[in-house]
Amino acid sequence: KNQVEQSPQSLIILEGKNCTLQCNYTVSPFSNLRWYKQDTGRGPVSLTIMTFSENTKSNGRYTATLDADTKQSSLHITASQLSDSASYICVPQGAGGSYIPTFGRGTSLIVHP
Amino acid sequence: EPEVTQTPSHQVTQMGQEVILRCVPISNHLYFYWYRQILGQKVEFLVSFYNNEISEKSEIFDDQFSVERPDGSNFTLKIRSTKLEDSAMYFCASSVEGMSQPQHFGDGTRLSIL
C-alpha cells in the first residue's frame, strides 16, 4: 500500500528563519511529486511539481528537492514570513496504470514574530 | 487570477438523503477532480474526470458517488444516500492538462451529515 510519511508533524520557527520539511514515500512506480500549502479552512495551493527525473525545483522562497532512488523529498523555506504559517503537504503520484495521488498528513508550520 | 469556485460553502443534510456539491472549474481547464478531507485527517483523492469520462477513481468512490459535467461550466459530485461518515470537506480542483500539471483547488464545501 502506498504510504507517505512527513516530518516533523509540527514546527514552530521565528520569522525570518529558514526551515526544511521532510517527506518519505513508498509510491511505486512513481511519476511526480507535489508540494502543497494549505491554509486553515482553505483548499491546497500548489507550490512545486517535480517529475522523477528532477532533483530540485524552486518557487520563490520555496525549494523542493527529490531523490527518487531513496524515495525522499524535502521542502526548504527561506526567510520565513508570518504568512507561511500553514500545513505543507507532500503528494507523490503513481504511474503505470494508476495515477492516483497519495497525500501525506502534512507538516503544520507556525511562524512567530 | 481565475479561481475554482464551490457552492455551497456549507451543506447540512439528513442521513440517507441525496446531496449534490457544485463546482465551477477554471474556464480553460480540461481535467477535473474531487477530493475529500475528513476533519483532522489527510486529503484523499476521490475521482478525476476528463472528456466527459471518469479517468481515475479511488476505492472511496463507490456506487454511492457519481460525477457529472452537466454543461460547459459546472462539475458536480452527487452522493446518493449519505452516511454519517460522508461528513467531510469536499474539494474540487481543475488543471489545464493531465496529472503532471498544477491543480487549482477551490476552498471546499463542508458537508455535515446529521
Side-chain angles (χ1 to χ4, degrees):
Chain A
K1 183 177 179 181
N2 292 331
Q3 291 188 326
V4 181
E5 296 293 333
Q6 292 191 240
S7 62
Q9 186 175 0
S10 61
L11 181 62
I12 301 173
I13 62 174
L14 292 176
E15 186 179 13
K17 297 297 186 182
N18 304 335
C19 66
T20 300
L21 314 180
Q22 303 290 344
C23 173
N24 295 337
Y25 61 93
T26 63
V27 174
S28 183
F30 165 80
S31 67
N32 64 71
L33 187 141
R34 302 162 188 254
W35 281 93
Y36 287 95
K37 176 187 179 187
Q38 186 177 25
D39 292 314
T40 302
R42 305 294 299 273
V45 173
S46 181
L47 296 176
T48 62
I49 302 172
M50 288 179 291
T51 66
F52 63 89
S53 60
E54 293 178 292
N55 299 120
T56 186
K57 182 73 70 78
S58 290
N59 177 5
R61 295 180 296 103
Y62 302 103
T63 299
T65 66
L66 174 64
D67 185 333
D69 292 330
T70 62
K71 298 189 184 304
Q72 294 179 323
S73 178
S74 67
L75 180 70
H76 185 76
I77 304 174
T78 304
S80 59
Q81 300 176 356
L82 298 179
S83 58
D84 291 333
S85 296
S87 180
Y88 291 84
I89 306 171
C90 170
V91 187
Q93 186 165 333
S98 174
Y99 293 89
I100 291 177
T102 303
F103 283 70
R105 293 188 176 278
T107 291
S108 177
L109 175 66
I110 298 174
V111 180
H112 278 166
Chain B
E1 184 175 328
E3 293 182 339
V4 174
T5 57
Q6 292 187 242
T7 56
S9 58
H10 191 190
Q11 174 81 43
V12 181
T13 301
Q14 291 288 333
M15 186 173 59
Q17 295 296 306
E18 175 183 287
V19 67
I20 297 176
L21 308 182
R22 303 181 189 278
C23 169
V24 179
I26 295 173
S27 61
N28 64 330
H29 287 189
L30 301 178
Y31 291 77
F32 314 110
Y33 315 88
W34 283 102
Y35 298 85
R36 80 173 185 189
Q37 187 173 29
I38 295 170
L39 186 63
Q41 298 190 24
K42 61 183 181 178
V43 176
E44 298 172 293
F45 172 84
L46 293 178
V47 66
S48 60
F49 190 85
Y50 169 71
N51 199 26
N52 282 320
E53 289 184 346
I54 290 174
S55 46
E56 292 272 5
K57 62 180 181 178
S58 70
E59 294 176 351
I60 303 168
F61 194 88
D62 61 21
D63 292 344
Q64 292 298 311
F65 291 88
S66 62
V67 290
E68 191 178 28
R69 188 156 163 80
D71 53 41
S73 59
N74 290 283
F75 180 50
T76 62
L77 174 69
K78 181 192 292 186
I79 309 175
R80 288 189 182 80
S81 179
T82 50
K83 309 183 187 78
L84 293 176
E85 54 265 36
D86 292 328
S87 295
M89 182 74 90
Y90 288 81
F91 292 107
C92 172
S94 68
S95 62
V96 174
E97 294 179 353
M99 289 283 219
S100 63
Q101 294 296 312
Q103 294 181 21
H104 298 257
F105 282 72
D107 280 335
T109 291
R110 179 165 297 285
L111 179 62
S112 299
I113 306 301
L114 304 180

